[in-house]
Amino acid sequence: MSDAKRIAVLLSGRGSNFESLLKASRNDSLGGDISLVIANRPGAGGLKIAQDAGIETALIDHQRYASREAFDRDLAATIETASPDLVVLAGFMRILTFEFVARFENRLMNIHPSLLPRYPGLNTHQRALDNRDTHAGATVHYVNGELDGGPPVLQARVPIHANDDAETLAARVLQVEHQIYPEAVSWHLSGKLSFRNNLLYKDDNPVPLTGCLWEGDR
Ligand code: GRF
């Protein structure tokens, strides 16, 4: 096995965030290689993208498992075959068990399409519109036992326009997702992020409770 850092990606759907990570790894801005892509749904578009890119894939269909625990055990065992430095959730639509999260503690990241801690869970864009928020965004965070509740790493804000609906807003947010996920992953892989007394630091600075604020390409 080479010395390059290794990433395992878990996804359930179209895989555009995975694709943004793949692009970054191919142009050497990620600091690691995507070694394995695992999907829990046979039709996941992200699986095809991975196969076409020559990346090892696995399909672990949750519908074939009697319990969440049994699914997560197989998922963890498959992930371990790749010895990843980081496990990345990229639109992985399954709630993970506490045991799974504990096993990959501090090396499990997710991206969520809202300005956490606002709007954990589903339908984030419609909820932001219903509340007449002026801004929406996306947050990359480490995963802990709470739904979308782990420590934020990096957050990007976008304006909400008067004529937005959930679809137009989602598209605007997705554009920044594709920028901040590779950035946060590269921070992890290059050792910039660390936990001290349960608090997250980037280099020697405490990370704000909503994550570092993304200021665009520098
Ligand atoms: C993204 O909006 C992500 O924030 C959320 O699920 C969606 C996945 O999209 N967790 P894609 O499959 O990466 O295109």
Side-chain angles (χ1 to χ4, degrees), residues 69-187:
E69 287 72 21
F71 169 76
D72 276 13
R73 269 197 299 276
D74 265 12
L75 185 62
T78 306
I79 292 170
E80 298 286 16
T81 62
S83 306
D85 297 282
L86 181 64
V87 179
V88 165
L89 306 180
F92 187 65
M93 302 301 286
R94 295 287 300 165
I95 292 177
L96 295 161
T97 55
F98 181 76
E99 288 70 24
F100 181 97
V101 171
R103 185 164 174 171
F104 296 101
E105 191 181 14
N106 298 350
R107 55 180 180 125
L108 181 60
M109 269 185 180
N110 183 40
I111 189 158
H112 184 73
S114 80
L115 296 172
L116 289 173
R118 282 174 90 72
Y119 314 129
L122 298 174
N123 301 323
T124 53
H125 305 302
Q126 191 58 53
R127 286 154 74 197
L129 291 169
D130 291 347
N131 281 332
R132 301 183 183 282
D133 291 352
T134 57
H135 286 80
T139 310
V140 179
H141 64 97
Y142 282 105
V143 176
N144 67 9
E146 289 163 50
L147 179 66
D148 303 319
V153 175
L154 182 56
Q155 187 167 78
R157 292 163 67 88
V158 300
I160 296 181
H161 299 159
N163 56 355
D164 269 333
D165 58 23
E167 205 175 314
T168 57
L169 182 55
R172 191 172 311 118
V173 170
L174 195 63
Q175 285 183 6
V176 292
E177 293 185 37
H178 296 162
Q179 295 181 293
I180 64 174
Y181 216 177
E183 180 79 359
V185 167
S186 79
W187 290 355

